[in-house]
Amino acid sequence: MSQSFRVKDSAIKYLFFDIAAEELGHMEIVVQTINFLNGHDVDAASVSSGEIQSHVILGFNPGLISS
């Protein structure tokens, strides 16, 4: 994705954006697989506000969160 910011031709730039979006989708699949293998199932609808952000920042590790 960072490479697309330097490209002047819009057709090539959007091709880079498409490739980046596809790769981010693959990364999301890998993250979900790792979470399931570790026994974590994060359902965004069942957690309270802010908890998803904590999981993203801490990676399911314990941490001190101040309000």
Side-chain angles (χ1 to χ4, degrees), residues 2-41:
S2 62
Q3 295 291 330
S4 64
F5 297 123
R6 298 178 32 207
V7 177
K8 305 251 190 270
D9 185 2
S10 64
I12 296 173
K13 177 179 274 207
Y14 289 120
L15 176 65
F16 274 69
F17 280 141
D18 288 342
I19 293 170
E22 184 73 23
E23 293 306 319
L24 288 172
H26 293 153
M27 189 167 45
E28 184 177 356
I29 292 169
V30 170
V31 168
Q32 280 285 42
T33 303
I34 290 170
N35 284 334
F36 287 140
L37 290 173
N38 285 331
H40 300 290
D41 183 14

